[in-house]
Amino acid sequence: MNAQGQDWDDLRLFLAVARAGSLSGAARALGVTHSTVFRRIGAFEERLGVRLFDRLQGGYDLTAAGEEMRESVLRIEEEIAALALKVTGQDQRPTGTIRITATDFLAQALLPAHVAAFRAERPGIEIEAIVSDTVLDLTRREADIALRIGNPGQEALVGRRIGQLAFAVYAARGRAGDPGTGDWVGYGASHGPLSRAMARWWPGMRQVYRTNSITAAQAAARAGIGMAALPCVLADRDPGLVRLCPLPEPFALDLWLLTHEDLRHTARIRMFLDFMGTAVQAEADLLEGRRPLGQVPAVD
């Protein structure tokens, strides 16, 4: 196998199927169609003259040859990612693209206003926001910067805590209720720390609607389905919601800004990290919920 681009594309495709265990999962990860993955993986096996996957009813399982290839391809992927990080880390030009990963509500509540202000200062830098609740791997260059709730503690990542996200109980205007007896928009098993705390505070709470998305919970509360525990930075800016009460106990989640250690000296990455850290810390009152009940600050 040579080192031409098409061969690496085939290896990336092979890894995507191996990781997902299905053609549809690989297609979503790569942003291509199911039929494209089916066609290309078959052509790849035909060129190699070996079957890499067993086609089973439940998905695609690696054969013995596929297992051996996966180990080799993972090493190649690590080397390519490391090389890309080192090369990018030497770039001192205040231009280019920064790929930022964030959850849906952080991408809505925090990023837009600050990205607009940043680009007003640095028009040569473009921003790509990857909105996902999945934790992307910065060591594999799935993104350059992560705006995350909590620090994953990965050895190769560097960053800092830039704030804390406070939560409170919200409902649609004119739909006030008793948290102990009223209807709730809940998170089910998702958002573990918050869900566990809510179950402890209100053991008999009636969750009439559940979602794994904070922005979906915000929309449901605004529609009048029930009360919801929401981040103040998101809900206090929503004119369709009113803050009913604080949580029974102090509850906040740390907000982190992270990048790979090989990228932190890249000019555009360093500029954005410094700008975003300062800008978010200036919003501490909003992040930490220090607003009078019922006050709705203007959206920036």
Side-chain angles (χ1 to χ4, degrees):
M1 189 173 299
N2 60 44
Q4 295 177 357
Q6 185 58 48
D7 287 330
W8 176 237
D9 286 343
D10 289 334
L11 293 176
R12 288 179 61 243
L13 182 80
F14 162 78
L15 270 185
V17 177
R19 285 181 172 127
S22 68
L23 298 184
S24 57
R28 285 192 298 271
L30 295 174
V32 298
T33 64
H34 179 283
S35 60
T36 296
V37 178
F38 175 79
R39 174 177 51 79
R40 285 181 52 194
I41 204 69
F44 186 44
E45 288 179 322
E46 186 175 345
R47 285 199 304 277
L48 293 176
V50 64
R51 186 165 48 84
L52 301 173
F53 296 97
D54 286 324
R55 278 71 166 168
L56 305 176
Q57 186 174 2
Y60 273 45
D61 282 354
L62 288 167
T63 63
E67 292 279 4
E68 187 173 347
M69 173 170 277
R70 178 175 61 179
E71 297 305 312
S72 297
V73 176
L74 284 173
R75 289 193 293 272
I76 295 172
E77 182 186 50
E78 289 175 3
E79 290 295 327
I80 291 175
L83 176 61
L85 284 168
K86 288 179 180 177
V87 171
T88 305
Q90 297 173 9
D91 188 354
Q92 296 305 307
R93 296 169 300 174
T95 58
T97 300
I98 300 174
R99 302 175 73 236
I100 304 169
T101 177
T103 62
D104 58 350
F105 98 82
L106 290 177
Q108 175 178 317
L110 283 183
L111 276 182
H114 296 317
V115 167
F118 175 75
R119 290 209 68 256
E121 290 187 7
R122 302 289 180 180
I125 299 176
E126 299 177 355
I127 305 295
E128 178 182 348
I130 306 168
V131 181
S132 174
D133 288 330
T134 301
V135 177
L136 300 189
D137 191 342
L138 302 190
T139 64
R140 291 173 49 209
R141 292 301 305 276
E142 292 180 343
D144 301 317
I145 293 173
L147 181 62
R148 287 181 181 164
I149 297 174
N151 181 6
Q154 289 179 257
E155 185 175 337
L157 300 187
V158 294
R160 56 175 169 157
R161 185 173 70 88
I162 59 174
Q164 284 194 311
L165 298 172
F167 287 69
V169 179
Y170 294 85
R173 290 189 172 275
R175 294 291 188 97
D178 182 346
T181 59
D183 292 343
W184 275 90
V185 176
Y187 298 106
S190 61
H191 302 286
L194 178 59
S195 293
R196 289 191 293 272
M198 291 171 65
R200 185 177 73 254
W201 295 327
W202 300 291
M205 68 184 304
R206 186 167 62 248
Q207 297 187 35
V208 299
Y209 185 84
R210 298 179 183 85
T211 175
N212 65 342
S213 165
I214 286 178
T215 52
Q218 175 194 12
R222 189 192 311 119
I225 294 176
M227 297 167 284
L230 297 169
C232 299
V233 68
L234 184 70
D236 278 344
R237 284 171 158 165
D238 188 335
L241 293 174
V242 62
R243 195 194 304 184
L244 296 181
C245 62
L247 299 180
E249 299 173 7
F251 181 90
L253 299 175
D254 289 340
L255 183 64
W256 282 78
L257 200 57
L258 301 162
T259 190
H260 192 278
E261 60 183 357
D262 288 339
L263 291 181
R264 63 174 165 173
H265 297 303
T266 302
R268 63 182 180 276
I269 303 296
R270 186 179 66 251
M271 290 171 184
F272 186 83
L273 292 175
D274 291 343
F275 181 94
M276 191 69 178
T278 300
V280 172
Q281 287 171 349
E283 289 193 323
D285 282 349
L286 183 58
L287 290 170
E288 298 173 16
R290 293 192 288 269
R291 300 285 188 186
L293 292 183
Q295 179 178 337
V296 181
V299 176
D300 295 335

